[in-house]
Coordinates of all heavy atoms in Angstrom, one line a residue:
M1357 N 112.3 42.0 59.7 CA 111.6 42.8 58.8 C 111.1 42.0 57.6 O 111.8 41.2 57.1 CB 112.5 43.9 58.3 CG 111.8 45.0 57.4 SD 112.8 46.4 57.1 CE 113.7 45.9 55.6
N1358 N 109.9 42.2 57.2 CA 109.3 41.5 56.0 C 109.1 42.5 54.8 O 108.9 43.6 55.0 CB 108.0 40.8 56.4 CG 108.3 39.4 56.9 OD1 108.7 38.5 56.2 ND2 108.0 39.2 58.2
A1359 N 109.2 41.9 53.6 CA 108.9 42.7 52.4 C 108.0 41.9 51.5 O 108.0 40.7 51.5 CB 110.2 43.1 51.8
N1360 N 107.3 42.7 50.7 CA 106.5 42.0 49.6 C 107.3 42.2 48.3 O 107.7 43.3 48.0 CB 105.1 42.7 49.5 CG 104.1 42.0 50.5 OD1 104.1 40.8 50.7 ND2 103.3 42.9 51.1
C1361 N 107.4 41.1 47.7 CA 108.2 41.1 46.4 C 107.4 41.8 45.3 O 106.2 41.5 45.1 CB 108.5 39.7 46.0 SG 109.5 39.7 44.4
D1362 N 108.0 42.8 44.6 CA 107.4 43.5 43.5 C 107.1 42.6 42.4 O 106.2 42.8 41.6 CB 108.3 44.6 43.0 CG 108.4 45.8 44.0 OD1 107.6 45.9 44.9 OD2 109.4 46.6 43.8
K1363 N 107.9 41.6 42.2 CA 107.9 40.8 41.0 C 106.8 39.7 41.2 O 106.0 39.5 40.3 CB 109.2 40.2 40.7 CG 109.4 39.7 39.3 CD 110.8 39.3 39.0 CE 110.9 38.5 37.7 NZ 112.3 38.0 37.6
C1364 N 107.0 38.9 42.3 CA 106.1 37.7 42.4 C 105.0 37.9 43.5 O 104.1 37.1 43.6 CB 106.9 36.5 42.7 SG 107.6 36.4 44.4
G1365 N 105.1 39.1 44.2 CA 104.0 39.4 45.1 C 104.0 38.6 46.4 O 103.2 38.8 47.3
R1366 N 105.0 37.8 46.7 CA 105.0 37.0 47.9 C 105.8 37.7 49.0 O 106.6 38.6 48.7 CB 105.7 35.6 47.6 CG 104.8 34.8 46.7 CD 105.6 33.6 46.2 NE 105.5 32.5 47.0 CZ 105.9 31.2 46.6 NH1 106.4 31.1 45.4 NH2 105.8 30.2 47.5
S1367 N 105.4 37.4 50.2 CA 106.1 38.0 51.4 C 107.3 37.2 51.8 O 107.2 36.0 51.8 CB 105.0 38.1 52.5 OG 105.6 38.5 53.7
F1368 N 108.3 37.9 52.2 CA 109.5 37.1 52.6 C 110.3 38.0 53.7 O 110.1 39.2 53.8 CB 110.4 36.8 51.5 CG 111.0 38.0 50.7 CD1 112.2 38.5 51.1 CD2 110.3 38.6 49.7 CE1 112.7 39.6 50.4 CE2 110.8 39.7 49.0 CZ 112.0 40.2 49.4
A1369 N 111.1 37.3 54.5 CA 111.9 37.9 55.5 C 113.1 38.5 54.8 O 113.8 37.8 54.1 CB 112.3 36.9 56.6
V1370 N 113.4 39.8 55.1 CA 114.5 40.5 54.5 C 115.8 40.1 55.3 O 115.9 40.2 56.5 CB 114.3 42.0 54.6 CG1 115.6 42.7 54.2 CG2 113.2 42.4 53.7
V1371 N 116.8 39.5 54.5 CA 118.1 39.2 55.1 C 119.1 40.0 54.3 O 119.5 39.6 53.2 CB 118.4 37.7 55.0 CG1 119.7 37.3 55.6 CG2 117.2 36.9 55.5
P1372 N 119.6 41.1 54.9 CA 120.5 41.9 54.2 C 121.9 41.2 54.0 O 122.4 40.5 54.8 CB 120.7 43.2 55.0 CG 119.7 43.1 56.1 CD 119.3 41.6 56.2
Q1373 N 122.4 41.4 52.8 CA 123.7 40.8 52.5 C 124.6 41.9 51.8 O 124.1 42.8 51.3 CB 123.5 39.6 51.5 CG 122.7 38.5 52.0 CD 122.5 37.4 51.0 OE1 123.4 36.6 50.8 NE2 121.3 37.3 50.5
E1374 N 125.9 41.6 51.9 CA 126.8 42.6 51.4 C 127.6 42.0 50.2 O 128.0 40.8 50.2 CB 127.8 43.0 52.4 CG 127.4 44.3 53.1 CD 128.5 44.9 53.9 OE1 129.6 44.5 53.9 OE2 128.2 45.9 54.6
K1375 N 127.8 42.9 49.2 CA 128.6 42.4 48.0 C 129.5 43.5 47.7 O 129.2 44.7 47.7 CB 127.6 42.2 46.9 CG 128.2 41.7 45.6 CD 127.0 41.4 44.7 CE 127.5 41.4 43.2 NZ 126.4 41.2 42.3
T1376 N 130.8 43.2 47.4 CA 131.8 44.2 47.0 C 131.9 44.2 45.5 O 132.2 43.2 44.9 CB 133.1 43.8 47.7 OG1 132.9 43.7 49.1 CG2 134.1 45.0 47.4
H1377 N 131.7 45.3 45.0 CA 131.9 45.5 43.5 C 133.3 46.1 43.3 O 134.0 46.4 44.2 CB 130.9 46.5 43.0 CG 129.4 46.0 43.0 ND1 128.8 45.5 41.9 CD2 128.6 45.9 44.1 CE1 127.6 45.2 42.3 NE2 127.4 45.4 43.6
R1378 N 133.6 46.3 42.0 CA 134.9 46.9 41.8 C 135.0 48.3 42.3 O 134.0 48.9 42.6 CB 135.3 46.8 40.3 CG 134.4 47.6 39.4 CD 134.3 46.9 38.0 NE 132.9 47.0 37.6 CZ 132.6 47.9 36.7 NH1 133.4 48.8 36.3 NH2 131.3 48.0 36.3
K1379 N 136.2 48.8 42.4 CA 136.5 50.2 42.9 C 136.0 50.5 44.3 O 135.5 51.6 44.6 CB 135.8 51.2 41.9 CG 136.5 51.2 40.5 CD 135.8 52.3 39.7 CE 136.1 52.1 38.2 NZ 135.1 52.8 37.4
G1380 N 136.0 49.5 45.2 CA 135.6 49.7 46.6 C 134.1 50.0 46.8 O 133.8 50.6 47.8
I1381 N 133.3 49.6 45.8 CA 131.9 49.9 45.9 C 131.2 48.7 46.7 O 131.4 47.5 46.3 CB 131.3 50.1 44.6 CG1 131.8 51.4 44.0 CG2 129.7 50.0 44.6 CD1 131.6 51.5 42.5
I1382 N 130.6 49.0 47.8 CA 129.9 48.0 48.6 C 128.4 48.2 48.5 O 127.9 49.2 48.7 CB 130.4 48.1 50.1 CG1 131.9 47.8 50.2 CG2 129.6 47.0 50.9 CD1 132.4 48.0 51.6
E1383 N 127.8 47.1 48.1 CA 126.3 47.1 48.0 C 125.7 46.3 49.1 O 126.2 45.2 49.4 CB 125.9 46.5 46.6 CG 124.4 46.4 46.4 CD 124.0 45.7 45.2 OE1 124.9 45.1 44.5 OE2 122.8 45.7 44.9
T1384 N 124.7 46.8 49.8 CA 123.9 46.1 50.7 C 122.6 45.7 50.0 O 122.0 46.6 49.4 CB 123.6 46.9 52.0 OG1 124.9 47.3 52.5 CG2 122.9 46.0 53.0
Y1385 N 122.3 44.5 49.9 CA 121.1 44.1 49.1 C 120.4 43.0 49.8 O 120.9 42.3 50.7 CB 121.5 43.7 47.7 CG 122.2 42.4 47.7 CD1 121.6 41.2 47.3 CD2 123.6 42.3 48.0 CE1 122.2 40.0 47.3 CE2 124.3 41.1 47.9 CZ 123.6 40.0 47.6 OH 124.2 38.8 47.6
F1386 N 119.2 42.7 49.3 CA 118.5 41.4 49.7 C 117.8 40.9 48.5 O 117.6 41.6 47.5 CB 117.6 41.7 50.9 CG 116.5 42.7 50.7 CD1 115.3 42.4 50.2 CD2 116.8 44.1 51.0 CE1 114.3 43.4 50.0 CE2 115.9 45.1 50.8 CZ 114.6 44.7 50.3
A1387 N 117.4 39.7 48.5 CA 116.8 39.0 47.3 C 115.6 38.2 47.7 O 115.5 37.7 48.8 CB 117.8 38.1 46.7
C1388 N 114.6 38.2 46.9 CA 113.4 37.4 47.1 C 113.8 35.9 47.0 O 114.4 35.5 46.0 CB 112.4 37.8 46.1 SG 111.0 36.6 46.1
P1389 N 113.5 35.1 48.0 CA 113.9 33.7 48.0 C 113.1 32.9 47.0 O 113.4 31.8 46.6 CB 113.6 33.2 49.4 CG 112.6 34.2 50.0 CD 112.8 35.5 49.3
F1390 N 112.0 33.5 46.5 CA 111.1 32.7 45.6 C 111.5 32.9 44.1 O 111.7 32.0 43.4 CB 109.6 33.1 45.8 CG 109.2 32.9 47.2 CD1 109.0 34.0 48.1 CD2 109.0 31.6 47.7 CE1 108.6 33.8 49.4 CE2 108.6 31.4 49.1 CZ 108.4 32.5 49.9
C1391 N 111.6 34.2 43.7 CA 111.9 34.4 42.3 C 113.3 35.1 42.1 O 113.7 35.4 41.0 CB 110.9 35.3 41.7 SG 110.9 37.0 42.3
R1392 N 114.1 35.3 43.2 CA 115.4 35.8 43.1 C 115.5 37.3 42.7 O 116.6 37.8 42.4 CB 116.4 35.0 42.2 CG 116.4 33.5 42.4 CD 116.6 33.0 43.8 NE 117.8 33.6 44.5 CZ 118.1 33.5 45.8 NH1 117.2 32.9 46.6 NH2 119.2 34.0 46.3
R1393 N 114.4 38.0 42.7 CA 114.4 39.4 42.4 C 115.4 40.1 43.4 O 115.4 39.8 44.6 CB 113.0 40.0 42.6 CG 112.9 41.5 42.5 CD 112.9 42.0 41.1 NE 112.3 43.3 40.9 CZ 112.9 44.4 41.2 NH1 114.1 44.5 41.6 NH2 112.2 45.6 41.0
H1394 N 116.2 40.9 42.8 CA 117.3 41.6 43.6 C 116.9 43.0 44.0 O 116.4 43.7 43.2 CB 118.5 41.6 42.6 CG 119.7 42.2 43.2 ND1 120.8 41.5 43.7 CD2 120.0 43.5 43.4 CE1 121.7 42.4 44.1 NE2 121.3 43.6 44.0
Y1395 N 117.1 43.3 45.3 CA 116.8 44.7 45.7 C 118.0 45.3 46.4 O 118.6 44.7 47.3 CB 115.7 44.6 46.8 CG 114.4 44.1 46.3 CD1 114.1 42.7 46.3 CD2 113.4 45.0 45.7 CE1 112.9 42.3 45.9 CE2 112.2 44.5 45.3 CZ 111.9 43.2 45.3 OH 110.8 42.7 44.9
S1396 N 118.4 46.4 45.9 CA 119.6 47.1 46.4 C 119.1 48.0 47.6 O 118.1 48.8 47.4 CB 120.2 48.1 45.4 OG 120.9 47.3 44.5
A1397 N 119.6 47.8 48.8 CA 119.2 48.6 49.9 C 120.1 49.9 49.9 O 119.6 51.0 50.1 CB 119.4 47.9 51.2
S1398 N 121.4 49.7 49.8 CA 122.3 50.9 49.7 C 123.5 50.5 49.0 O 123.9 49.4 49.0 CB 122.6 51.4 51.1 OG 123.5 50.5 51.7
V1399 N 124.1 51.5 48.3 CA 125.3 51.3 47.6 C 126.3 52.4 48.0 O 125.9 53.6 47.9 CB 125.1 51.3 46.1 CG1 126.3 50.9 45.3 CG2 123.9 50.5 45.7
T1400 N 127.4 52.1 48.4 CA 128.4 53.1 48.8 C 129.8 52.9 48.2 O 130.1 51.8 47.9 CB 128.6 53.1 50.4 OG1 129.2 51.9 50.8 CG2 127.3 53.3 51.1
N1401 N 130.5 54.0 48.0 CA 131.9 53.9 47.7 C 132.6 54.6 48.8 O 132.1 55.1 49.7 CB 132.2 54.4 46.3 CG 131.8 55.9 46.1 OD1 131.4 56.5 47.1 ND2 131.9 56.4 44.9
H1402 N 133.9 54.8 48.6 CA 134.8 55.4 49.6 C 134.2 56.8 49.9 O 134.1 57.1 51.1 CB 136.2 55.5 49.1 CG 137.2 56.0 50.1 ND1 137.6 55.2 51.2 CD2 137.7 57.2 50.3 CE1 138.4 56.0 51.9 NE2 138.4 57.2 51.4
R1403 N 133.9 57.6 48.9 CA 133.5 59.0 49.1 C 132.1 59.0 49.9 O 132.0 59.8 50.9 CB 133.3 59.6 47.7 CG 132.5 60.9 47.7 CD 133.5 62.1 47.8 NE 132.7 63.3 47.9 CZ 132.9 64.3 48.8 NH1 133.8 64.1 49.8 NH2 132.2 65.4 48.8
V1404 N 131.2 58.1 49.6 CA 129.9 58.1 50.2 C 130.1 57.7 51.7 O 129.5 58.2 52.6 CB 128.9 57.2 49.5 CG1 127.6 57.1 50.3 CG2 128.6 57.7 48.1
R1405 N 131.0 56.7 52.0 CA 131.2 56.2 53.3 C 131.8 57.3 54.2 O 131.5 57.5 55.4 CB 132.0 55.0 53.3 CG 131.3 53.7 52.9 CD 132.0 52.4 53.2 NE 133.2 52.3 52.4 CZ 133.3 51.8 51.2 NH1 132.2 51.5 50.5 NH2 134.4 51.7 50.6
K1406 N 132.6 58.2 53.5 CA 133.2 59.3 54.2 C 132.1 60.3 54.6 O 132.1 60.8 55.7 CB 134.3 59.9 53.3 CG 135.2 60.8 54.0 CD 136.4 61.2 53.2 CE 137.1 62.4 53.7 NZ 136.4 63.6 53.6
L1407 N 131.2 60.6 53.7 CA 130.1 61.5 54.0 C 129.2 61.0 55.1 O 128.8 61.7 55.9 CB 129.3 61.7 52.7 CG 130.0 62.5 51.5 CD1 129.1 62.4 50.3 CD2 130.2 63.9 51.9
I1408 N 129.0 59.7 55.0 CA 128.1 59.0 56.1 C 128.8 59.2 57.5 O 128.2 59.5 58.4 CB 127.8 57.6 55.8 CG1 126.9 57.5 54.5 CG2 127.2 56.8 56.9 CD1 126.7 56.1 54.0
D1409 N 130.1 59.0 57.5 CA 130.9 59.2 58.7 C 130.8 60.6 59.2 O 130.6 60.8 60.4 CB 132.4 58.8 58.5 CG 132.6 57.4 58.7 OD1 131.7 56.6 59.1 OD2 133.8 56.9 58.4
E1410 N 130.9 61.5 58.3 CA 130.8 63.0 58.7 C 129.4 63.3 59.3 O 129.3 64.0 60.3 CB 130.9 63.8 57.4 CG 132.3 64.5 57.3 CD 132.3 65.4 56.1 OE1 131.7 66.5 56.1 OE2 133.0 64.9 55.1
L1411 N 128.4 62.7 58.7 CA 127.0 62.9 59.2 C 126.8 62.3 60.5 O 126.2 62.9 61.4 CB 126.0 62.3 58.2 CG 124.6 62.5 58.4 CD1 124.2 64.0 58.4 CD2 123.7 61.8 57.3
K1412 N 127.4 61.1 60.7 CA 127.3 60.4 62.1 C 128.0 61.3 63.1 O 127.5 61.5 64.2 CB 128.0 59.1 62.0 CG 127.1 57.9 61.6 CD 127.8 56.6 61.8 CE 127.2 55.5 61.0 NZ 128.1 54.5 60.6
T1413 N 129.2 61.7 62.8 CA 130.0 62.6 63.7 C 129.2 63.8 64.1 O 129.1 64.2 65.3 CB 131.3 63.0 63.1 OG1 132.0 61.8 62.6 CG2 132.2 63.7 64.1
L1414 N 128.5 64.4 63.1 CA 127.7 65.6 63.3 C 126.6 65.3 64.3 O 126.3 66.1 65.2 CB 127.2 66.0 62.0 CG 126.7 67.5 61.8 CD1 128.0 68.4 61.9 CD2 126.1 67.6 60.4
R1415 N 126.0 64.1 64.1 CA 124.8 63.8 65.0 C 125.2 63.4 66.4 O 124.5 63.5 67.3 CB 124.1 62.6 64.3 CG 123.3 63.1 63.1 CD 122.3 62.2 62.6 NE 121.5 62.8 61.6 CZ 121.0 62.3 60.5 NH1 121.2 61.0 60.3 NH2 120.2 63.0 59.7
L1416 N 126.5 62.9 66.5 CA 127.0 62.5 67.8 C 127.6 63.6 68.6 O 127.8 63.5 69.8 CB 128.0 61.4 67.7 CG 127.5 60.0 67.2 CD1 128.6 59.1 67.0 CD2 126.5 59.4 68.2
A1417 N 127.8 64.7 68.0 CA 128.4 65.9 68.6 C 127.4 66.3 69.8 O 126.2 66.1 69.7 CB 128.6 67.0 67.6
G1418 N 128.0 66.9 70.8 CA 127.2 67.4 71.9 C 126.2 68.4 71.5 O 126.1 68.8 70.4
P1419 N 125.3 68.8 72.5 CA 124.3 69.7 72.2 C 124.9 71.1 71.7 O 125.9 71.5 72.2 CB 123.5 69.9 73.5 CG 124.4 69.3 74.6 CD 125.4 68.4 73.9
P1420 N 124.2 71.7 70.7 CA 124.8 72.9 70.2 C 124.7 74.0 71.2 O 123.8 74.0 72.1 CB 123.8 73.2 69.0 CG 122.6 72.4 69.2 CD 123.0 71.2 70.0
T1421 N 125.7 74.9 71.1 CA 125.8 75.9 72.2 C 124.9 77.1 71.9 O 124.7 77.9 72.9 CB 127.3 76.5 72.2 OG1 127.7 76.7 70.8 CG2 128.2 75.4 72.8
S1422 N 124.4 77.2 70.7 CA 123.4 78.3 70.5 C 122.5 78.0 69.4 O 122.7 77.0 68.7 CB 124.2 79.6 70.1 OG 124.8 79.3 68.8
A1423 N 121.5 78.8 69.2 CA 120.5 78.6 68.1 C 121.2 78.6 66.8 O 120.9 77.9 65.9 CB 119.4 79.6 68.2
K1424 N 122.1 79.5 66.7 CA 122.9 79.7 65.4 C 123.7 78.4 65.1 O 123.7 78.0 64.0 CB 123.8 80.9 65.6 CG 124.6 81.2 64.4 CD 123.8 82.0 63.4 CE 124.6 82.2 62.1 NZ 123.8 82.4 60.9
A1425 N 124.3 77.9 66.2 CA 125.1 76.7 66.0 C 124.2 75.5 65.6 O 124.6 74.7 64.7 CB 125.9 76.3 67.3
L1426 N 123.1 75.5 66.2 CA 122.1 74.4 65.8 C 121.7 74.5 64.4 O 121.7 73.6 63.6 CB 120.9 74.5 66.7 CG 119.7 73.5 66.4 CD1 120.1 72.1 66.6 CD2 118.5 73.8 67.2
E1427 N 121.4 75.8 64.0 CA 121.0 76.0 62.6 C 122.1 75.6 61.6 O 121.8 74.9 60.6 CB 120.6 77.5 62.4 CG 119.8 77.8 61.2 CD 119.8 79.3 60.8 OE1 119.7 80.1 61.8 OE2 120.0 79.6 59.7
L1428 N 123.3 76.0 61.9 CA 124.4 75.6 61.0 C 124.6 74.1 60.9 O 124.8 73.6 59.9 CB 125.7 76.2 61.5 CG 125.9 77.8 61.3 CD1 127.2 78.2 62.0 CD2 125.9 78.1 59.8
R1429 N 124.4 73.5 62.1 CA 124.6 72.0 62.1 C 123.5 71.3 61.3 O 123.8 70.4 60.5 CB 124.6 71.5 63.5 CG 125.0 70.1 63.6 CD 124.6 69.5 65.0 NE 125.5 70.0 66.0 CZ 125.5 69.6 67.3 NH1 124.6 68.6 67.6 NH2 126.3 70.1 68.2
E1430 N 122.3 71.8 61.5 CA 121.1 71.3 60.7 C 121.4 71.4 59.2 O 121.1 70.5 58.4 CB 119.8 71.9 61.1 CG 119.4 71.5 62.5 CD 119.1 70.1 62.7 OE1 118.4 69.5 61.8 OE2 119.7 69.4 63.6
R1431 N 121.8 72.6 58.9 CA 122.0 72.9 57.4 C 123.1 72.0 56.9 O 123.0 71.5 55.8 CB 122.5 74.4 57.3 CG 122.0 74.9 55.9 CD 122.4 76.4 55.8 NE 121.7 77.3 56.7 CZ 122.1 78.5 56.9 NH1 123.2 79.0 56.4 NH2 121.4 79.3 57.8
K1432 N 124.2 71.8 57.6 CA 125.2 70.9 57.2 C 124.7 69.5 57.0 O 125.0 68.8 56.1 CB 126.4 71.0 58.1 CG 127.6 70.3 57.5 CD 128.9 70.5 58.4 CE 130.0 69.7 57.7 NZ 131.1 69.4 58.7
A1433 N 123.9 69.0 58.0 CA 123.4 67.6 58.0 C 122.5 67.4 56.8 O 122.6 66.4 56.1 CB 122.6 67.4 59.3
T1434 N 121.7 68.4 56.4 CA 120.8 68.4 55.3 C 121.6 68.3 54.0 O 121.3 67.5 53.1 CB 119.9 69.6 55.2 OG1 119.2 69.7 56.5 CG2 118.9 69.5 54.1
R1435 N 122.7 69.1 53.9 CA 123.5 69.1 52.7 C 124.2 67.7 52.6 O 124.2 67.2 51.5 CB 124.6 70.2 52.9 CG 125.3 70.5 51.6 CD 126.1 71.8 51.7 NE 126.9 71.9 53.0 CZ 128.1 71.3 53.2 NH1 128.6 70.5 52.2 NH2 128.7 71.4 54.3
L1436 N 124.7 67.2 53.7 CA 125.4 65.9 53.6 C 124.4 64.8 53.2 O 124.7 64.0 52.3 CB 126.0 65.5 55.0 CG 127.3 66.2 55.4 CD1 127.6 65.9 56.9 CD2 128.4 65.8 54.5
K1437 N 123.2 64.8 53.7 CA 122.2 63.8 53.4 C 121.8 63.9 52.0 O 121.7 62.8 51.3 CB 121.0 64.0 54.3 CG 120.4 62.7 54.7 CD 119.1 62.8 55.5 CE 118.4 61.5 55.4 NZ 118.3 60.9 54.1
T1438 N 121.6 65.1 51.5 CA 121.3 65.2 50.1 C 122.4 64.7 49.2 O 122.1 64.0 48.2 CB 121.1 66.7 49.7 OG1 120.1 67.3 50.7 CG2 120.5 66.9 48.3
E1439 N 123.6 65.0 49.5 CA 124.7 64.5 48.7 C 124.8 63.0 48.8 O 125.1 62.3 47.8 CB 126.0 65.2 49.2 CG 127.1 65.1 48.1 CD 128.4 65.7 48.5 OE1 128.4 66.5 49.5 OE2 129.4 65.4 47.9
I1440 N 124.7 62.4 50.0 CA 124.7 61.0 50.1 C 123.6 60.3 49.3 O 123.9 59.4 48.5 CB 124.6 60.6 51.6 CG1 125.8 61.0 52.4 CG2 124.3 59.1 51.8 CD1 125.6 61.0 53.9
D1441 N 122.4 60.8 49.4 CA 121.3 60.2 48.6 C 121.6 60.3 47.1 O 121.3 59.3 46.4 CB 120.0 61.0 48.9 CG 119.5 60.6 50.3 OD1 120.0 59.6 50.9 OD2 118.5 61.3 50.8
A1442 N 122.1 61.4 46.6 CA 122.3 61.6 45.2 C 123.4 60.7 44.7 O 123.3 60.0 43.7 CB 122.7 63.0 44.9
K1443 N 124.5 60.5 45.5 CA 125.6 59.7 45.1 C 125.2 58.2 45.2 O 125.6 57.4 44.3 CB 126.8 59.9 46.1 CG 127.4 61.3 45.8 CD 128.9 61.2 45.9 CE 129.7 62.4 45.6 NZ 129.1 63.4 44.7
M1444 N 124.4 57.8 46.2 CA 124.0 56.5 46.2 C 123.1 56.1 45.1 O 123.2 55.0 44.5 CB 123.2 56.2 47.5 CG 124.0 55.8 48.7 SD 122.9 55.1 49.9 CE 124.0 55.0 51.3
A1445 N 122.2 57.0 44.7 CA 121.3 56.8 43.6 C 122.1 56.6 42.3 O 121.8 55.7 41.5 CB 120.3 57.9 43.4
E1446 N 123.2 57.4 42.2 CA 124.0 57.3 41.0 C 124.7 56.0 40.9 O 124.8 55.3 39.9 CB 125.0 58.5 41.0 CG 125.8 58.6 39.7 CD 127.0 59.6 39.9 OE1 126.8 60.5 40.7 OE2 128.0 59.3 39.3
L1447 N 125.3 55.6 42.1 CA 126.1 54.3 42.1 C 125.1 53.1 41.8 O 125.5 52.2 41.2 CB 126.7 54.1 43.5 CG 127.9 55.1 43.9 CD1 128.2 54.9 45.3 CD2 129.1 54.7 43.0
K1448 N 123.9 53.2 42.4 CA 123.0 52.2 42.2 C 122.6 52.0 40.7 O 122.6 50.9 40.2 CB 121.7 52.5 43.0 CG 120.9 51.3 43.4 CD 119.6 51.7 44.2 CE 119.8 51.7 45.7 NZ 118.6 51.7 46.4
R1449 N 122.4 53.1 40.0 CA 122.1 53.1 38.6 C 123.3 52.5 37.8 O 123.1 51.7 36.9 CB 121.9 54.6 38.1 CG 120.5 54.9 37.7 CD 120.4 56.2 36.9 NE 121.4 57.2 37.1 CZ 121.3 58.2 38.0 NH1 120.2 58.3 38.8 NH2 122.2 59.1 38.1
R1450 N 124.5 52.9 38.2 CA 125.7 52.5 37.4 C 126.1 51.1 37.7 O 126.6 50.4 36.8 CB 126.8 53.4 37.7 CG 126.8 54.6 36.7 CD 127.6 55.7 37.2 NE 129.1 55.4 37.1 CZ 130.0 56.3 37.5 NH1 129.6 57.5 38.0 NH2 131.3 56.0 37.5
Y1451 N 126.0 50.6 38.9 CA 126.6 49.3 39.3 C 125.7 48.2 39.7 O 126.0 47.1 39.6 CB 127.7 49.5 40.4 CG 128.8 50.4 40.0 CD1 128.8 51.8 40.4 CD2 129.8 50.0 39.2 CE1 129.8 52.6 40.0 CE2 130.8 50.8 38.8 CZ 130.8 52.1 39.2 OH 131.8 53.0 38.8
C1452 N 124.5 48.6 40.1 CA 123.6 47.6 40.6 C 122.2 47.6 40.0 O 121.3 48.1 40.5 CB 123.4 47.8 42.1 SG 125.0 48.2 43.0
G1453 N 122.2 47.0 38.8 CA 120.9 46.9 38.2 C 120.0 46.1 39.1 O 120.4 45.1 39.7
D1454 N 118.7 46.6 39.2 CA 117.8 45.9 40.2 C 117.3 44.6 39.7 O 116.2 44.2 40.0 CB 116.7 46.9 40.6 CG 117.0 47.5 42.0 OD1 117.9 47.1 42.6 OD2 116.2 48.4 42.4
E1455 N 118.0 44.0 38.8 CA 117.5 42.7 38.3 C 118.6 41.7 38.6 O 119.7 41.9 38.5 CB 117.3 42.7 36.8 CG 116.0 43.4 36.4 CD 114.7 42.7 37.0 OE1 114.8 41.5 37.3 OE2 113.8 43.4 37.3
Ligands
ZN1449 ZN1 109.7 37.3 44.3

């Protein structure tokens, strides 16, 4: 996968790397090899990883037995995803300045 750097405008191959912050926070990020601009791909803590696991389990579950079950599952998946996104955005703001 290639990305264009926001800062220097050059194109580079994305090589995701992991960094562990305090309190069990794991950041997946990549950096521009030319100007070292830092990009956070995802930031998770224990709680967010648990939510991601829950979402995965939900998606791996067998086919729903009824329309109602499908609807409930979809609703739960949406709720989980919203919570994951919000928590990740918050962690990113707090721990991983994009510079
Ligand atoms: Zn750059």
Side-chain angles (χ1 to χ4, degrees):
M1357 186 171 89
N1358 271 293
N1360 274 320
C1361 181
D1362 288 344
K1363 196 173 169 188
C1364 70
R1366 292 165 89 166
S1367 171
F1368 63 93
V1370 171
V1371 184
Q1373 296 180 74
E1374 265 193 6
K1375 181 174 162 185
T1376 305
H1377 293 256
R1378 65 213 140 94
K1379 293 182 196 160
I1381 291 161
I1382 298 175
E1383 177 187 11
T1384 306
Y1385 71 98
F1386 56 94
C1388 170
F1390 304 107
C1391 70
R1392 309 311 303 169
R1393 173 78 157 82
H1394 178 105
Y1395 296 91
S1396 286
S1398 71
V1399 188
T1400 63
N1401 62 4
H1402 185 74
R1403 167 92 184 128
V1404 174
R1405 287 193 293 275
K1406 196 168 164 290
L1407 290 170
I1408 291 170
D1409 275 352
E1410 255 182 75
L1411 188 59
K1412 268 190 205 151
T1413 308
L1414 203 64
R1415 288 192 169 145
L1416 289 174
T1421 46
S1422 66
K1424 182 79 184 156
L1426 174 67
E1427 194 196 320
L1428 284 176
R1429 191 193 288 185
E1430 289 300 308
R1431 208 179 293 164
K1432 190 172 178 202
T1434 306
R1435 191 167 49 78
L1436 283 170
K1437 213 183 163 320
T1438 307
E1439 198 179 344
I1440 290 166
D1441 286 348
K1443 290 221 177 331
M1444 271 200 193
E1446 188 195 325
L1447 289 171
K1448 209 181 264 197
R1449 249 196 333 269
R1450 271 165 68 185
Y1451 298 99
C1452 318
D1454 257 354
E1455 282 301 329

